[in-house]
Amino acid sequence: MKFQFFKYQGTGNDFVLIDNRQSILSKNDTKLIARLCDRKFGIGADGLILLENHPTADFKMVYFNADGNESSMCGNGGRCIVHFAKSLGIVENTTKFKAIDGMHTASIENNTVSLKMNDVSEIEMNDNYLFLNTGSPHHVELVDSISTFDVFSEGRKLRNETYGKEGANINFVEQLSENTFSVRTYERGVEDETLSCGTGVTAVAIAMHKKGLTKTNNIQLVTPGGKLTVTFENNKDGYTNVHLQGPATMVFKGEWE
């Protein structure tokens, strides 16, 4: 089976993207999807994204973790697929598309994509962490000296021992200024630290505001892969009009045989 693929990255969170409007790749072939994401035997990526037809939206996004299993929403992947859709001529500067967690709107200017995320109304506050869902489940925990923190070991432990088989993404955070936070994330499905996590930084921005560590609704997130911005409105219904903004770039394209 021969098909074209595109490699994208958004602040170092990298993906294989495939135009699947003609159903060239089976969503049930988890072994092939995992192989495509394998960094030694495949293309190499944190996940794989299919762009498919949708009856009312511009397109449908189907996201798979690197282990080959379909997963919950991916914010950086959502930004990358918007760039991909524009490059295919499906959209121009704005779009509406369907993902696993519902409809999303987005805008793109050059290589910067602003993606509207779901509203967040439920935030679980505990003594040393917060838990919330921003399209994917996220544990948010403040730490000291994040640059030397053992994200892999501590993240894996929390992901498995606290959240079990289903798991959650584990975000470790250090405040840099009133509106800037450094974030490192251990992602389920990848089962490792990634250079950036879009739904993760969205969760961190909301959690830090909820915790009272910042009063601004325009928050800068510094990840190992680059900088992202999260904006939102906060009212009696929780956090609404949430946007994740940052770069999305095509790295290369090729053909799989």
Side-chain angles (χ1 to χ4, degrees):
M1 180 174 60
K2 183 188 291 187
F3 57 85
Q4 191 175 42
F5 68 85
F6 297 78
K7 177 71 179 285
Y8 268 80
Q9 64 89 12
T11 52
N13 205 185
D14 61 339
F15 311 97
V16 173
L17 279 97
I18 296 170
D19 179 358
N20 205 42
R21 288 176 291 172
Q22 304 300 320
S23 300
I24 58 173
L25 186 74
S26 169
K27 291 191 282 289
N28 297 320
D29 197 342
T30 56
K31 289 184 178 179
L32 175 59
I33 293 168
R35 188 180 174 199
L36 291 167
C37 292
D38 192 292
R39 297 191 185 279
K40 295 291 193 296
F41 299 100
I43 301 161
D46 293 327
L48 180 141
I49 304 171
L50 301 180
L51 185 149
E52 298 191 333
N53 291 311
H54 190 273
T56 58
D58 293 322
F59 59 88
K60 179 183 178 183
M61 169 186 174
V62 185
Y63 176 69
F64 299 86
N65 279 329
D67 60 9
N69 294 310
E70 188 172 354
S71 188
S72 47
M73 180 56 182
C74 175
N76 286 329
R79 294 188 307 98
C80 286
I81 201 173
V82 171
H83 190 294
F84 183 46
K86 184 175 181 179
S87 74
L88 293 174
I90 298 171
V91 305
E92 292 187 359
N93 297 322
T94 60
T95 182
K96 180 179 181 180
F97 68 93
K98 175 74 182 301
I100 194 167
D101 64 338
M103 289 290 184
H104 290 266
T105 57
S107 61
I108 176 170
E109 184 175 349
N110 298 319
N111 288 330
T112 299
V113 178
S114 179
L115 173 66
K116 189 173 187 295
M117 307 294 284
N118 279 350
D119 295 347
V120 177
S121 57
E122 295 182 15
I123 302 173
E124 181 185 323
M125 298 185 72
N126 297 281
D127 290 341
N128 64 332
Y129 72 93
L130 296 88
F131 181 83
L132 61 160
N133 194 306
T134 52
S136 289
H138 284 280
H139 172 111
V140 178
E141 185 173 324
L142 284 156
V143 298
D144 297 321
S145 305
I146 195 169
S147 61
T148 57
F149 189 80
D150 190 350
V151 170
F152 179 79
S153 297
E154 294 301 317
R156 180 173 60 177
K157 182 179 178 181
L158 285 166
R159 176 256 187 269
N160 290 297
E161 294 183 10
T162 303
Y163 296 101
K165 184 179 179 181
E166 184 176 342
N169 300 291
I170 312 298
N171 304 273
F172 299 104
V173 190
E174 183 175 16
Q175 186 164 14
L176 302 179
S177 71
E178 202 278 328
N179 73 328
T180 306
F181 296 85
S182 179
V183 184
R184 293 176 64 189
T185 304
Y186 180 96
E187 284 199 55
R188 65 174 186 172
V190 179
E191 304 308 333
D192 202 348
E193 180 181 4
T194 55
L195 293 180
S196 175
C197 176
T199 55
V201 299
T202 303
V204 168
I206 291 171
M208 295 300 96
H209 186 273
K210 178 70 174 180
K211 198 171 174 66
L213 293 177
T214 181
K215 291 182 168 56
T216 181
N217 63 352
N218 185 316
I219 298 177
Q220 308 301 309
L221 294 312
V222 180
T223 73
K227 296 179 181 179
L228 292 157
T229 301
V230 173
T231 59
F232 50 76
E233 295 174 9
N234 179 222
N235 52 49
K236 61 180 177 61
D237 297 320
Y239 291 84
T240 61
N241 200 28
V242 181
H243 283 84
L244 169 68
Q245 181 177 311
T249 309
M250 188 183 84
V251 183
F252 62 87
K253 62 181 177 181
E255 201 169 69
W256 182 270
E257 294 187 7

